[in-house]
Amino acid sequence: MIQLNAEHISLSWGEKVLFDDVSLALDERDKVGLVGVNGTGKSTFLRILAGMQEPDAGTVTRANGVRIGYLPQAPDFSADVTVLQQVFRGASEEFARERAYEAKTLLTQMGVTDFDRPVRLLSGGQKKRVAIASALLLPSEILILDEPTNHIDNETAAWLEQQLKAYRGAMVLITHDRYFLNRVTNCICELDHARLYRYDENYEGFVARKAEREASALASERKRQSLLRRELEWMRRGARARGTKSRSRIERFEELSSRKGIVENSALELKSVSTRLGKKTIEVSGLTKSWDGTTYLRDFSLTVARDDRIGIVGKNGTGKSTFLRLLTGRAQPDSGRIVFGETVRIGYFAQDCGHMDDNQTVISFIRDIAETVRTPDGPRSAAQMLETFLFSGEAQWTRIGSLSGGEKRRLYLLSVIMDAPNILLLDEPTNDLDIETLTILESYLETFDGAVIAVSHDRYFLDKIAGRIFEFRPDGQAREYLGNYADYLEKREAERAPAAKKAEPAPKPRKKSDDKLRMSYKDQYELAHIEEEIEGMERQLAGLRAEQQANVSDFAALQQLAEQIEALSAKLEERTERWMELQELAEQIERQKG
């Protein structure tokens, strides 16, 4: 049954046509992945489907009673409400009361445990998780999700993947996570030059079908060009005897001439731009970093080889971004040393795109870094490099504030490369980049003449580029695994399997039917004191957040406070889950007595 039908949708921004008479029918079983280059209007199309924006032409109709759950790329958190109130915004009070326990469980699973905290004080990643919880909890027959995997760690992405696979309604989503896209969707729609192409396949099938479509289109265009050349020769020969020429052949020439040819995609092509790197690169020895009693890195050592490809993974709040900031000098270790080779030139691709002035034009931003840069193909000007990065002559004079999130990331990536680094530090480089740009970035990193250290939650990206993986753990330890992300998962599971088998308790004698539940003295003591422990953690979090509010202009301090808050929140989550277990056991014992 068709749940939603978008027909003949057209929309333009100024002279740029985003959609030209596109249509999409959404069946109740459809799980659609929307793909396309940054700037083609993917997020805008989702807003139109969700009823949040009107097109210039066309209609969107829903079946009777169909409700839509919508997760925007940048959710609105302007209301002065708590985390739990934000989850249930727009829902009835009765519904909020009935589903409060489920909401708290869902938020806890995603690492958000302070349900009464004002939502405006949350970090960007925490806000995204609250928005995801709201989209999953509120009743809907259609889910529309814009970049749900941004700002969440690998384990949370895998958890969300399972949630969406189990969702019974229709779905349309945008994500750069190709494994996620492949496992969750059964249909891919591609926005390309204002047209919408539908493939009833997952991502793997889409890649194959798209290659076939483009090959067929190129073959048809070659045939058209050949016919056009022949007809042109005929028309030219006919100048001496125009009256004897067949009117039908003249009409065919005019028809072939007026037919639109294939619009070739501009291909973002990255070529290795770097300075020479000597034998000595980066040597890290005994690195330790703590804040407020929490150790994020403990006695960590690493020697970076000239051609290293290192992936860093781990839960949020385990010090991954902190480590990159230590390497750049933006943070200082408590102990240990970082020694750099004389020829080392670091390029740092931060999560927040650095400090880009929204009022500055694209071309002036790049010229501030370098007027020209040497490439394998010779010197290239700032304007030529921007053309390579899909910023046309007119787009180069656009204000940065007018760019989409993905276009800003692409521009920021160019700014890093323009500085000709020989060691790249990438902090979540896949956020907001389209899949085509990611594919080319991965190819660039394969040929990059230097070392790469990447913090990423994108499993596909790490499988493509990493030669070894470091897992940062909550206790401050880091464990190395040789290979890519898939190898890391396999080895980690192999480590856990024997430990689980060894820890498996010996079979206990079967309880008699009259055996009763009992709570050990240790459990009773823990239950009596755990609430006080949780309250202490909550007070500590409140203090950190107050400090966060007082340091709004100090970027470095805000970064440190955010990481401390995430680590303490993880501890609070673990203790809250334990309190819930003990409380449930105590309630069962009370019911048993009754």
Side-chain angles (χ1 to χ4, degrees), residues 149-420:
T149 57
N150 272 4
H151 307 296
I152 58 176
D153 57 41
N154 307 66
E155 292 185 8
T156 306
W159 172 85
L160 180 59
E161 186 180 293
Q162 295 305 314
Q163 296 289 316
L164 296 183
K165 284 170 73 174
Y167 178 69
R168 294 185 178 275
M171 185 190 310
V172 185
L173 65 90
I174 298 170
T175 180
H176 62 265
D177 188 326
R178 285 152 286 182
Y179 282 151
F180 191 93
L181 202 59
N182 202 49
R183 291 165 182 162
V184 170
T185 66
N186 56 23
C187 172
I188 300 293
C189 287
E190 181 187 23
L191 275 171
D192 184 19
H193 292 97
R195 298 289 186 182
L196 187 71
Y197 299 91
R198 177 170 178 148
Y199 304 82
D200 288 316
E201 310 270 1
N202 63 4
Y203 181 72
E204 183 180 352
F206 153 72
V207 172
R209 289 275 304 281
K210 181 184 177 181
E212 292 171 5
R213 176 178 71 82
E214 291 184 340
S216 175
L218 285 171
S220 297
E221 176 63 10
R222 282 194 296 269
K223 182 178 179 181
R224 187 184 77 89
Q225 292 288 347
S226 177
L227 285 172
L228 191 57
R229 280 193 298 272
R230 284 164 51 197
E231 292 303 292
L232 181 60
E233 289 172 6
W234 181 85
M235 289 293 289
R236 284 171 176 168
R237 288 199 307 272
R240 293 187 300 273
R242 188 177 307 275
T244 64
K245 299 304 175 186
S246 164
R247 183 63 197 167
S248 64
R249 293 204 58 179
I250 294 173
E251 288 174 351
R252 184 166 73 156
F253 170 75
E254 290 172 347
E255 190 273 330
L256 286 168
S257 300
S258 62
R259 192 184 302 169
K260 286 184 179 179
I262 293 175
V263 180
E264 293 188 10
N265 286 318
S266 300
L268 190 160
E269 183 181 5
L270 306 183
K271 294 193 176 181
S272 185
V273 180
S274 62
T275 51
R276 187 187 68 82
L277 181 62
K279 291 183 179 179
K280 187 174 181 179
T281 58
I282 302 176
E283 292 180 0
V284 178
S285 57
L287 204 65
T288 297
K289 183 65 177 178
S290 301
W291 281 307
D292 199 23
T294 300
T295 301
Y296 294 91
L297 289 171
R298 190 189 305 275
D299 196 27
F300 179 63
S301 297
L302 168 69
T303 299
V304 180
R306 290 177 60 179
D307 58 351
D308 243 336
R309 299 292 184 270
I310 297 171
I312 298 177
V313 302
K315 291 184 177 181
N316 290 337
T318 52
K320 304 184 298 296
S321 297
T322 299
F323 176 61
L324 295 192
R325 293 175 59 245
L326 289 168
L327 293 182
T328 62
R330 287 167 170 80
Q332 298 301 315
D334 298 333
S335 61
R337 292 197 314 155
I338 304 173
V339 180
F340 298 95
E342 291 182 0
T343 60
V344 167
R345 188 165 185 166
I346 287 178
Y348 177 43
F349 187 72
Q351 283 194 53
D352 60 359
C353 289
H355 297 286
M356 300 173 78
D357 182 356
D358 283 350
N359 292 316
Q360 193 173 18
T361 62
V362 168
I363 184 71
S364 64
F365 173 70
I366 292 300
R367 281 177 174 164
D368 282 350
I369 298 163
E371 286 283 353
T372 61
V373 64
R374 282 188 291 181
T375 76
D377 296 331
R380 303 287 295 275
S381 69
Q384 287 173 321
M385 289 297 289
L386 281 166
E387 288 277 0
T388 302
F389 271 65
L390 310 185
F391 290 99
S392 64
E394 183 180 346
Q396 292 177 17
W397 296 97
T398 303
R399 287 172 55 255
I400 290 174
S402 301
L403 300 178
S404 70
E407 288 171 320
K408 282 184 180 179
R409 294 286 281 175
R410 193 195 310 146
L411 179 63
Y412 181 48
L413 177 61
L414 172 59
S415 73
V416 173
I417 290 174
M418 284 288 286
D419 208 27

Side-chain angles (χ1 to χ4, degrees), residues 76-95:
D76 175 22
F77 292 96
S78 58
D80 189 14
V81 295
T82 66
V83 166
L84 205 57
Q85 288 170 337
Q86 176 73 31
V87 169
F88 291 113
R89 273 182 78 180
S92 67
E93 291 184 11
E94 182 183 0
F95 180 82

Side-chain angles (χ1 to χ4, degrees), residues 2-7 9 24-26 48-49 58-64 66 68 142:
I2 300 298
Q3 302 287 73
L4 180 147
N5 196 15
E7 297 182 283
I9 303 297
L24 174 66
L26 194 63
I48 290 173
L49 295 183
T59 58
V60 178
T61 55
R62 305 181 205 170
N64 287 336
V66 166
I68 289 180
I142 300 174

Side-chain angles (χ1 to χ4, degrees), residues 514-518 586-594:
D514 62 347
D515 280 354
K516 294 184 178 181
L517 289 171
R518 291 182 177 85
E587 289 172 0
Q588 288 176 348
I589 291 171
E590 283 298 316
R591 286 196 296 269
Q592 186 176 256
K593 289 178 181 177

